[in-house]
Amino acid sequence: MVFFQVKFGMDVWAVLLLGVSGSAIGRYLYSCYIHRVSDHFIKPEKNEDLRFIGTRIGNNGWKVQVFVLLYTLMPLPSTPLFTAAGIARIKNLVLIPSFFVGKFVSDAAMVLAGDHVARNVVSITHGLLSWKTLLGTILGLIMICLFLFTGWRKLLQEKRFGISFNIWK
C-alpha cells in the first residue's frame, strides 16, 4: 500500500480502503481452508480439541471482537491469529469486522508514515534486521505453538494446564 501511495501519488484513503479490504478477504479465505490443511497434518484428537476451544471462544462475541481489534492494533502479524481461528473453526464473521477496523487504523499509520520512510531510505535500511523484527517473529511462532500444544479441553473443563507436543499424525 505504501508503494502505490508513494510511487503513484494515489489517494491515501483509497489505497487504505482497497488494501485493507484485500487483506480482510485474504484472511477470510485463509481461515476458511486452513482447517483442511490441519486435518491432514494434526492428529484427530488435537483437531477435536481445537474445535472445542473454537466453540467456546466463538460464543463470546464481543470479547473476541475486542481481542481481535486490540491484536490488530499492535505490530504483530495476523497470520497466527487467523491460523488459530481457522483451525478452531471460529466463525469468520465474528473476526472480520474488528480485524478490518484494527487493520485500517494500523495500516493508516503505516501508509501515512510511508512518505517519510521513502524520503529516508538510506538511514532506514541500516536497521532492517533489528531486535524488533526478530521479536515479532518469535512472538508469532510462540503464539501458534501455545495454541496448538495447549490441552484446551483439559484447561477449560478441568481447570488444569497441560501441554502436549505429540499432535502430528
Side-chain angles (χ1 to χ4, degrees):
M1 287 188 285
V2 172
F3 171 78
F4 287 112
Q5 193 269 330
V6 171
K7 179 73 175 169
F8 300 111
M10 295 177 70
D11 179 56
V12 172
W13 303 111
V15 168
L16 281 169
L17 187 60
L18 290 171
V20 174
S21 295
S23 180
I25 291 168
R27 293 298 182 213
Y28 171 81
L29 294 173
Y30 175 72
S31 64
C32 284
Y33 79 79
I34 192 64
H35 68 86
R36 292 187 177 135
V37 174
S38 75
D39 288 343
H40 293 290
F41 294 105
I42 297 176
K43 287 183 174 182
E45 299 85 31
K46 187 60 184 179
N47 270 322
E48 184 180 321
D49 193 34
L50 294 171
R51 274 188 231 112
F52 174 77
I53 186 68
T55 304
R56 292 287 297 260
I57 290 172
N59 293 333
N60 294 324
W62 71 270
K63 293 177 185 176
V64 173
Q65 290 180 355
V66 169
F67 173 77
V68 171
L69 176 67
L70 293 175
Y71 184 90
T72 55
L73 289 172
M74 292 185 282
L76 297 170
S78 59
T79 302
L81 176 69
F82 281 90
T83 301
I87 292 173
R89 292 177 175 94
I90 296 173
K91 294 178 183 171
N92 289 318
L93 294 178
V94 173
L95 305 177
I96 295 297
S98 53
F99 170 78
F100 187 89
V101 171
K103 193 73 172 157
F104 190 88
V105 171
S106 62
D107 283 359
M110 297 275 197
V111 171
L112 293 172
D115 186 51
H116 172 74
V117 172
R119 292 182 208 190
N120 299 301
V121 171
V122 174
S123 63
I124 292 172
T125 56
H126 292 289
L128 189 59
L129 184 63
S130 68
W131 67 271
K132 291 177 185 177
T133 57
L134 291 173
L135 182 63
T137 302
I138 291 168
L139 286 174
L141 290 172
I142 288 171
M143 289 176 64
I144 288 174
C145 288
L146 278 175
F147 188 81
L148 288 175
F149 300 133
T150 298
W152 290 104
R153 187 173 297 247
K154 181 186 281 187
L155 181 64
L156 293 172
Q157 289 180 333
E158 301 173 17
K159 307 284 191 254
R160 289 184 26 219
F161 181 75
I163 293 180
S164 173
F165 297 105
N166 189 16
I167 65 168
W168 311 113
K169 282 187 177 179

